[in-house]
Each structure stands twice: as C-alpha cells, then as structure tokens.
Coordinates of all heavy atoms in Angstrom, one line a residue:
M1 N 92.7 111.7 86.9 CA 93.0 110.4 87.7 C 94.4 110.4 88.2 O 95.3 110.7 87.5 CB 92.7 109.2 86.8 CG 91.2 108.9 86.6 SD 90.5 108.1 88.1 CE 91.3 106.5 88.2
V2 N 94.5 109.8 89.4 CA 95.8 109.7 90.0 C 96.1 108.2 90.2 O 95.2 107.4 90.5 CB 95.9 110.3 91.4 CG1 97.2 110.1 92.1 CG2 95.6 111.8 91.3
K3 N 97.3 107.8 89.9 CA 97.7 106.4 90.1 C 98.8 106.3 91.2 O 99.8 107.0 91.1 CB 98.2 105.9 88.8 CG 98.5 104.4 88.8 CD 99.0 103.9 87.5 CE 99.6 102.5 87.6 NZ 100.4 102.2 86.4
I4 N 98.5 105.6 92.2 CA 99.5 105.4 93.3 C 100.0 103.9 93.2 O 99.2 103.0 93.2 CB 98.9 105.7 94.7 CG1 98.3 107.1 94.7 CG2 99.9 105.5 95.8 CD1 97.5 107.4 96.0
T5 N 101.3 103.8 93.2 CA 101.9 102.5 93.2 C 102.8 102.3 94.4 O 103.7 103.2 94.7 CB 102.7 102.3 91.9 OG1 101.9 102.6 90.8 CG2 103.1 100.8 91.7
I6 N 102.7 101.2 95.1 CA 103.6 100.9 96.2 C 104.3 99.6 95.8 O 103.7 98.6 95.6 CB 102.9 100.7 97.5 CG1 102.2 102.1 97.9 CG2 103.8 100.2 98.6 CD1 101.3 102.0 99.1
D7 N 105.6 99.7 95.7 CA 106.4 98.5 95.5 C 106.7 97.8 96.8 O 107.5 98.2 97.6 CB 107.8 99.0 94.8 CG 108.6 97.8 94.4 OD1 108.4 96.7 94.9 OD2 109.5 98.0 93.6
H8 N 106.0 96.7 97.0 CA 106.1 96.0 98.3 C 107.4 95.3 98.5 O 107.7 94.8 99.5 CB 104.9 95.1 98.4 CG 103.6 95.8 98.6 ND1 103.2 96.5 99.7 CD2 102.5 96.0 97.7 CE1 102.0 97.1 99.5 NE2 101.6 96.8 98.3
E9 N 108.1 95.1 97.4 CA 109.5 94.5 97.5 C 110.4 95.5 98.2 O 111.3 95.1 99.0 CB 110.0 94.3 96.1 CG 109.2 93.3 95.3 CD 109.7 91.9 95.4 OE1 110.9 91.7 95.1 OE2 108.9 91.0 95.6
K10 N 110.2 96.8 98.0 CA 111.0 97.9 98.6 C 110.5 98.4 99.9 O 111.2 98.9 100.7 CB 111.2 99.0 97.6 CG 112.0 98.7 96.3 CD 112.1 100.0 95.5 CE 112.7 99.8 94.1 NZ 112.5 100.9 93.2
C11 N 109.2 98.4 100.0 CA 108.5 99.0 101.1 C 108.7 98.2 102.4 O 108.5 97.0 102.4 CB 107.0 99.1 100.8 SG 106.0 99.8 102.2
E12 N 108.9 98.9 103.5 CA 109.1 98.3 104.8 C 107.8 98.2 105.6 O 107.8 97.7 106.7 CB 110.1 99.1 105.6 CG 111.5 99.1 105.0 CD 112.4 100.2 105.6 OE1 112.4 100.3 106.8 OE2 113.1 100.9 104.8
G13 N 106.7 98.6 104.9 CA 105.4 98.4 105.5 C 105.1 99.1 106.9 O 105.6 100.2 107.1
A14 N 104.4 98.4 107.7 CA 104.1 99.0 109.0 C 105.2 99.4 109.9 O 105.1 100.2 110.8 CB 103.1 98.0 109.7
N15 N 106.4 98.7 109.6 CA 107.6 99.1 110.4 C 108.1 100.5 110.1 O 108.9 101.1 110.8 CB 108.7 98.1 110.0 CG 108.4 96.7 110.6 OD1 107.8 96.6 111.6 ND2 109.0 95.7 109.9
C16 N 107.7 101.0 108.9 CA 108.1 102.4 108.5 C 106.9 103.3 108.6 O 106.8 104.1 109.5 CB 108.6 102.3 107.1 SG 108.9 103.9 106.3
A17 N 106.0 103.2 107.6 CA 104.8 103.9 107.6 C 104.9 105.5 107.6 O 104.1 106.2 108.1 CB 103.8 103.5 108.8
E18 N 106.1 105.9 107.2 CA 106.4 107.4 107.1 C 105.4 108.1 106.2 O 104.9 109.2 106.5 CB 107.8 107.7 106.8 CG 108.7 107.4 107.9 CD 110.1 107.9 107.7 OE1 110.3 108.9 107.0 OE2 111.1 107.3 108.1
C19 N 105.1 107.4 105.1 CA 104.2 108.0 104.1 C 102.8 108.1 104.7 O 102.1 109.1 104.4 CB 104.2 107.1 102.8 SG 103.8 105.4 103.1
V20 N 102.4 107.1 105.5 CA 101.1 107.2 106.1 C 101.0 108.4 107.1 O 100.0 109.1 107.1 CB 100.8 105.9 106.9 CG1 99.5 106.0 107.7 CG2 100.8 104.7 106.0
D21 N 102.1 108.6 107.8 CA 102.1 109.7 108.8 C 102.1 111.1 108.1 O 101.5 112.0 108.6 CB 103.4 109.6 109.6 CG 103.4 108.4 110.5 OD1 102.3 107.9 110.8 OD2 104.5 108.1 111.0
V22 N 102.6 111.2 106.9 CA 102.7 112.5 106.3 C 101.6 112.9 105.3 O 101.3 114.0 105.0 CB 104.1 112.8 105.6 CG1 105.2 112.7 106.5 CG2 104.2 111.9 104.4
C23 N 100.9 111.9 104.9 CA 99.9 112.1 103.9 C 98.8 113.0 104.4 O 98.1 112.6 105.4 CB 99.3 110.8 103.4 SG 97.9 111.1 102.1
P24 N 98.6 114.2 103.9 CA 97.6 115.1 104.5 C 96.2 114.7 104.2 O 95.2 115.1 104.9 CB 97.9 116.4 103.8 CG 98.6 116.0 102.5 CD 99.3 114.7 102.7
M25 N 96.0 113.8 103.2 CA 94.6 113.4 102.8 C 94.2 112.0 103.4 O 93.1 111.5 103.1 CB 94.5 113.4 101.3 CG 95.0 114.7 100.6 SD 94.2 116.2 101.2 CE 92.6 115.9 100.5
E26 N 95.1 111.4 104.1 CA 94.9 110.1 104.7 C 94.6 109.0 103.6 O 93.7 108.2 103.8 CB 93.8 110.1 105.8 CG 94.2 111.0 107.0 CD 93.2 111.1 108.1 OE1 92.2 110.4 108.0 OE2 93.5 111.8 109.1
V27 N 95.3 109.2 102.5 CA 95.1 108.2 101.4 C 95.8 106.9 101.7 O 95.3 105.8 101.3 CB 95.6 108.9 100.1 CG1 95.6 107.9 98.9 CG2 94.8 110.1 99.7
L28 N 96.9 107.0 102.3 CA 97.8 105.8 102.6 C 97.5 105.4 104.0 O 97.4 106.2 105.0 CB 99.2 106.2 102.4 CG 99.6 106.7 101.1 CD1 101.0 107.3 101.0 CD2 99.4 105.7 100.0
I29 N 97.2 104.1 104.2 CA 96.8 103.5 105.4 C 97.6 102.3 105.7 O 98.1 101.6 104.8 CB 95.3 103.3 105.5 CG1 94.9 102.3 104.4 CG2 94.5 104.5 105.4 CD1 93.5 101.8 104.5
I30 N 97.6 101.9 107.0 CA 98.3 100.6 107.4 C 97.2 99.5 107.4 O 96.2 99.7 108.0 CB 98.9 100.7 108.7 CG1 100.0 101.8 108.7 CG2 99.5 99.4 109.2 CD1 100.6 102.1 110.1
D31 N 97.5 98.5 106.6 CA 96.6 97.4 106.6 C 97.3 96.1 107.0 O 98.0 95.5 106.2 CB 96.0 97.2 105.1 CG 95.0 96.1 105.0 OD1 94.6 95.5 106.0 OD2 94.6 95.7 103.8
G32 N 97.2 95.8 108.2 CA 98.1 94.7 108.8 C 99.5 95.1 108.8 O 99.9 96.0 109.4
E33 N 100.3 94.4 108.0 CA 101.7 94.7 107.9 C 102.1 95.5 106.7 O 103.2 96.0 106.6 CB 102.5 93.3 107.7 CG 102.5 92.4 108.9 CD 103.2 93.1 110.1 OE1 104.3 93.5 110.0 OE2 102.5 93.2 111.2
I34 N 101.2 95.7 105.8 CA 101.5 96.4 104.6 C 100.8 97.8 104.5 O 99.8 98.1 105.2 CB 101.1 95.6 103.3 CG1 99.6 95.5 103.1 CG2 101.8 94.3 103.3 CD1 99.2 95.0 101.7
I35 N 101.3 98.6 103.6 CA 100.7 99.9 103.3 C 99.6 99.8 102.2 O 99.9 99.1 101.2 CB 101.8 100.9 102.8 CG1 102.9 101.0 103.9 CG2 101.1 102.3 102.6 CD1 102.5 101.3 105.3
A36 N 98.5 100.3 102.4 CA 97.4 100.1 101.4 C 96.9 101.6 101.0 O 97.2 102.5 101.7 CB 96.3 99.3 102.0
I37 N 96.1 101.6 100.0 CA 95.6 102.9 99.5 C 94.1 102.9 99.9 O 93.4 101.9 99.4 CB 95.8 103.0 98.0 CG1 97.4 103.1 97.8 CG2 95.2 104.2 97.5 CD1 97.8 102.5 96.4
S38 N 93.6 103.9 100.6 CA 92.2 103.9 101.0 C 91.3 104.4 99.8 O 90.5 103.7 99.3 CB 92.0 104.7 102.3 OG 92.4 106.0 102.0
D39 N 91.6 105.7 99.5 CA 90.7 106.3 98.4 C 91.6 107.2 97.5 O 91.9 108.3 97.9 CB 89.6 107.1 99.0 CG 88.6 107.6 98.0 OD1 88.9 107.4 96.8 OD2 87.6 108.2 98.4
V40 N 92.0 106.6 96.4 CA 92.9 107.3 95.5 C 92.4 108.6 95.0 O 93.1 109.5 94.7 CB 93.3 106.3 94.3 CG1 92.1 106.1 93.4 CG2 94.5 106.9 93.5
D41 N 91.0 108.7 95.0 CA 90.4 110.0 94.5 C 90.7 111.2 95.5 O 90.5 112.3 95.1 CB 89.0 109.8 94.4 CG 88.6 108.8 93.2 OD1 89.4 108.8 92.3 OD2 87.6 108.2 93.2
E42 N 91.1 110.8 96.7 CA 91.4 111.9 97.7 C 92.8 112.5 97.5 O 93.1 113.5 98.1 CB 91.2 111.4 99.1 CG 89.8 111.1 99.5 CD 89.0 112.3 99.6 OE1 89.4 113.3 100.3 OE2 87.8 112.4 99.0
C43 N 93.6 111.8 96.7 CA 95.0 112.2 96.6 C 95.1 113.5 95.9 O 94.5 113.7 94.8 CB 95.8 111.1 95.8 SG 97.5 111.6 95.5
S44 N 95.9 114.4 96.5 CA 96.1 115.8 95.9 C 97.4 115.9 95.1 O 97.7 117.0 94.7 CB 96.1 116.8 97.1 OG 97.2 116.6 97.9
L45 N 98.0 114.8 94.9 CA 99.3 114.8 94.1 C 100.4 115.7 94.7 O 101.2 116.2 94.0 CB 99.0 115.2 92.7 CG 98.6 114.1 91.7 CD1 98.1 114.7 90.4 CD2 99.9 113.2 91.3
C46 N 100.3 115.8 96.0 CA 101.3 116.7 96.7 C 102.7 116.1 96.6 O 103.7 116.8 96.8 CB 100.9 116.9 98.1 SG 101.0 115.5 99.2
E47 N 102.8 114.8 96.5 CA 104.1 114.1 96.4 C 104.9 114.0 97.7 O 106.1 113.7 97.6 CB 104.9 114.6 95.2 CG 104.2 114.4 93.8 CD 105.1 114.7 92.6 OE1 106.2 115.1 92.8 OE2 104.5 114.6 91.5
V48 N 104.3 114.4 98.8 CA 105.1 114.3 100.1 C 105.4 112.9 100.4 O 106.5 112.7 100.9 CB 104.2 115.0 101.2 CG1 104.8 114.8 102.5 CG2 104.0 116.5 100.9
C49 N 104.6 112.0 100.1 CA 104.9 110.6 100.4 C 106.1 110.1 99.6 O 106.9 109.4 100.2 CB 103.7 109.7 100.1 SG 103.0 109.9 98.4
M50 N 106.2 110.6 98.4 CA 107.4 110.2 97.6 C 108.7 110.8 98.2 O 109.7 110.2 98.2 CB 107.2 110.7 96.1 CG 106.2 109.9 95.3 SD 105.9 110.6 93.7 CE 107.4 110.3 92.9
D51 N 108.5 112.1 98.6 CA 109.7 112.8 99.2 C 110.1 112.1 100.5 O 111.4 112.0 100.7 CB 109.3 114.2 99.5 CG 109.1 115.0 98.2 OD1 109.5 114.6 97.1 OD2 108.4 116.1 98.3
V52 N 109.2 111.6 101.3 CA 109.6 111.1 102.6 C 110.1 109.6 102.6 O 110.8 109.2 103.4 CB 108.4 111.3 103.6 CG1 107.4 110.3 103.4 CG2 108.9 111.4 105.0
C53 N 109.7 108.9 101.5 CA 110.0 107.5 101.5 C 111.5 107.3 101.4 O 112.1 107.8 100.4 CB 109.3 106.8 100.4 SG 109.6 105.1 100.3
P54 N 112.1 106.5 102.3 CA 113.5 106.3 102.3 C 113.9 105.3 101.2 O 115.1 105.2 100.9 CB 113.8 105.7 103.7 CG 112.5 105.1 104.1 CD 111.4 105.9 103.5
N55 N 113.0 104.6 100.6 CA 113.3 103.5 99.7 C 112.8 103.7 98.3 O 112.9 102.8 97.5 CB 112.7 102.2 100.3 CG 113.3 101.8 101.6 OD1 114.3 102.2 102.0 ND2 112.5 101.1 102.4
G56 N 112.2 104.8 98.1 CA 111.7 105.1 96.7 C 110.6 104.0 96.4 O 110.5 103.6 95.2
A57 N 109.8 103.7 97.4 CA 108.8 102.5 97.2 C 107.5 103.1 96.7 O 106.7 102.2 96.3 CB 108.7 101.8 98.5
V58 N 107.2 104.3 96.9 CA 105.9 104.8 96.5 C 106.0 105.8 95.3 O 106.9 106.7 95.4 CB 105.1 105.5 97.8 CG1 105.9 106.6 98.4 CG2 103.7 105.9 97.3
T59 N 105.1 105.6 94.4 CA 105.1 106.5 93.2 C 103.7 107.0 93.1 O 102.7 106.2 93.1 CB 105.5 105.7 91.9 OG1 106.7 105.0 92.2 CG2 105.6 106.6 90.8
V60 N 103.6 108.3 92.8 CA 102.3 108.9 92.6 C 102.4 109.7 91.3 O 103.4 110.4 91.0 CB 101.9 109.9 93.7 CG1 100.6 110.6 93.4 CG2 102.0 109.3 95.1
E61 N 101.5 109.4 90.4 CA 101.5 110.0 89.1 C 100.1 110.2 88.5 O 99.2 109.6 88.9 CB 102.3 109.1 88.1 CG 101.7 107.7 87.9 CD 102.7 106.7 87.3 OE1 103.5 107.1 86.5 OE2 102.5 105.5 87.6
E62 N 100.1 111.2 87.6 CA 98.8 111.5 87.0 C 98.6 110.4 85.9 O 99.5 110.1 85.1 CB 98.9 112.9 86.4 CG 97.5 113.5 86.3 CD 97.4 115.0 86.6 OE1 98.5 115.6 86.5 OE2 96.3 115.4 86.8
D63 N 97.4 109.9 85.9 CA 97.2 108.7 85.0 C 96.3 109.2 83.8 O 95.3 109.8 84.0 CB 96.4 107.6 85.8 CG 96.5 106.3 85.1 OD1 97.3 106.2 84.1 OD2 95.7 105.4 85.4
Ligands
SF4_101 S1 100.7 112.5 96.9 FE1 100.1 113.5 98.8 S2 97.9 113.2 99.0 FE2 98.7 111.7 97.5 S3 99.1 109.8 98.6 FE3 101.0 111.0 98.6 S4 101.1 112.3 100.4 FE4 99.0 111.5 100.1
SF4_102 S1 107.6 105.6 103.4 FE1 108.1 104.1 101.7 S2 109.1 102.3 102.8 FE2 107.9 103.6 104.3 S3 106.0 102.6 104.4 FE3 105.8 104.3 103.0 S4 106.2 103.4 100.9 FE4 106.9 101.9 102.5

C-alpha cells in the first residue's frame, strides 16, 4: 500500500501543479483549485512528485 499526503497549507494547488505534470501514472490531478489524488493504487512510488515540489508539500510513503 502507498500513502500519499498533500499538505494543503504548503501546497500552491492549481497555480503550481508541477507534481501533476510530472507524475507518470497520472495519480495526482487538479480538482478545482487543489491537488487531489485520483487512484493511489496506480502510484509506483517513483517519488518524482516529491523531488519536483518546491514546497515539500507532497509526501509519498509505503504504508
Ligand atoms: S510517487 Fe510517482 S507515481 Fe506516485 S504520485 Fe508521485 S509522481 Fe506519481
Ligand atoms: S508540486 Fe507541491 S506545491 Fe506544487 S502543486 Fe504539487 S504538491 Fe502543491
């Protein structure tokens, strides 16, 4: 199981969306103004979203 956490206090949401752009599995999506998780089971734990996030707002971990 994978657990993805987005800290919406730190996240710039749709104004940034860099994690959405880089996610190869399209797990992270834009939902209105915020970043949402579509299907956590598709996550490959590549951690690219964590690497690209300028604010350290997204965390992906094995649960
Ligand atoms: S770890 Fe990789 S596959 Fe999972 S949400 Fe982040 S970018 Fe997408
Ligand atoms: S890269 Fe970080 S700040 Fe930007 S939308 Fe994703 S989680 Fe939010």
Side-chain angles (χ1 to χ4, degrees):
M1 280 287 290
V2 178
K3 186 178 169 199
I4 302 172
T5 311
I6 295 170
D7 184 340
H8 293 288
E9 302 262 309
K10 293 182 187 169
C11 177
E12 294 165 47
N15 290 330
C16 169
E18 287 192 30
C19 57
V20 175
D21 291 341
V22 297
C23 178
M25 309 304 288
E26 299 182 1
V27 173
L28 302 170
I29 57 170
I30 297 172
D31 182 10
E33 292 295 308
I34 68 164
I35 307 304
I37 297 149
S38 61
D39 187 357
V40 69
D41 293 332
E42 290 292 313
C43 177
S44 62
L45 270 167
C46 69
E47 298 189 0
V48 171
C49 53
M50 289 174 66
D51 292 340
V52 80
C53 181
N55 300 334
V58 58
T59 309
V60 182
E61 60 197 329
E62 207 145 16
D63 195 13

